[in-house]
Amino acid sequence: MSFIKRIGILCLFFSAGTCYGQEDLIGFLQPQISLNYSLTPLYAHNFSFTQRALFINPTNSGIGTIHLDLAHFSNFELPRQRSIGLGIMFRLREPFEGPDQNELRLTQQFNLLHRNHSIRFGHRFRTEQRILPSRTIHRFRYRFAADGPLQGEQLDPGELYWVGNLEALTSIGKGIRPIYDLRASAWFGFLANDMAKIQIGTEYRRVGLWLEGRPVIFLLSSLILNL
């Protein structure tokens, strides 16, 4: 195994290892089902359904589902491994958190990929408008990602792979103080065949940097289907 790949795998465990033992930690379970559908080689759709459930709560005020997300994303491929995308998401909160809590989210993004041997690197720039009943929050995000097979130089059906992400976010809005977040995630995946893969992972979030924000841990699972 190459030195670069060893460093990449070690970084995958950083997000999980730094969060345990913190007394104010909040924990969520987040399973997702995702469907990718390519209309042409240059244009593809993505549909996803996500549940988020609280399972670690230091305030002991209850655990269980807090919202459901239904999202659609359109991706347009550009030359030189670049792409742009537009998305819309509806977050259903009211059955779990009370009235006037639902959210409509609009997304715009630019993505750049490049490869170094078996490892693929990605840079994603994203803007979002979180439309809530009481206000609209504008969010700006940058994510650096890397992924690759655990064996060999190429990922084949029946093999495992890894994914690591590091993301910085800024949220601003009328009448609210800017909020800065940092996220680090690690995934391991299994490519069953050309039409399906399964991923499990963890994500560590520090919400509200410099505002005494609480650490948040996510235990993630994803089923990805390609048509």
Side-chain angles (χ1 to χ4, degrees):
M1 184 181 293
S2 69
F3 174 77
I4 293 178
K5 186 175 290 187
R6 289 177 185 270
I7 294 298
I9 293 176
L10 288 175
C11 289
L12 289 177
F13 291 99
F14 173 78
S15 62
T18 57
C19 63
Y20 294 105
Q22 302 188 44
E23 294 181 355
D24 58 348
L25 178 70
I26 300 174
F28 294 99
L29 299 174
Q30 186 162 289
Q32 181 185 76
I33 298 176
S34 180
L35 175 65
N36 298 316
Y37 178 62
S38 296
L39 291 176
T40 73
L42 300 179
Y43 176 52
H45 289 292
N46 171 267
F47 300 90
S48 64
F49 176 76
T50 307
Q51 177 197 20
R52 183 176 297 178
L54 183 67
F55 79 101
I56 298 176
N57 187 357
T59 64
N60 295 319
S61 59
I63 61 175
T65 299
I66 63 169
H67 64 242
L68 302 173
D69 294 342
L70 182 63
H72 169 264
F73 209 88
S74 291
N75 194 65
F76 306 85
E77 295 291 335
L78 301 175
R80 300 175 61 185
Q81 298 190 74
R82 292 166 168 82
S83 65
I84 57 174
L86 298 172
I88 185 170
M89 186 193 79
F90 177 71
R91 174 164 289 176
L92 180 65
R93 282 199 183 105
E94 292 187 0
F96 315 106
E97 298 188 5
D100 298 326
Q101 295 292 324
N102 291 339
E103 176 185 340
L104 181 66
R105 184 178 303 183
L106 306 178
T107 302
Q108 309 82 38
Q109 79 173 30
F110 172 76
N111 201 51
L112 170 64
L113 298 174
H114 64 94
R115 185 178 294 274
N116 183 2
H117 302 291
S118 63
I119 301 178
R120 184 177 61 172
F121 300 96
H123 304 272
R124 189 184 73 183
F125 303 87
R126 174 176 282 189
T127 59
E128 294 177 336
Q129 299 79 47
R130 301 183 60 189
I131 304 170
L132 303 164
S134 59
R135 64 189 182 277
T136 297
I137 299 173
H138 299 270
R139 192 154 69 173
F140 304 90
R141 308 171 61 166
Y142 166 72
R143 187 191 72 182
F144 172 74
D147 65 75
L150 286 175
Q151 296 178 335
E153 297 294 319
Q154 181 177 332
L155 181 64
D156 297 312
E159 293 184 348
L160 299 171
Y161 61 92
W162 59 270
V163 183
N165 299 312
L166 184 64
E167 184 172 24
L169 302 85
T170 301
S171 299
I172 60 175
K174 185 177 180 179
I176 64 173
R177 185 176 179 180
I179 299 174
Y180 305 96
D181 300 345
L182 185 65
R183 302 177 179 180
S185 64
W187 296 81
F188 286 102
F190 173 71
L191 180 63
N193 50 52
D194 292 336
M195 298 182 62
K197 56 185 177 181
I198 300 171
Q199 296 183 166
I200 58 172
T202 181
E203 180 173 277
Y204 175 77
R205 298 184 182 182
R206 191 73 191 189
V207 180
L209 294 174
W210 306 294
L211 293 177
E212 298 183 356
R214 282 181 168 177
V216 182
I217 183 70
F218 286 78
L219 299 182
L220 308 167
S221 61
S222 181
L223 172 62
I224 303 170
L225 304 174
N226 298 306
L227 297 181

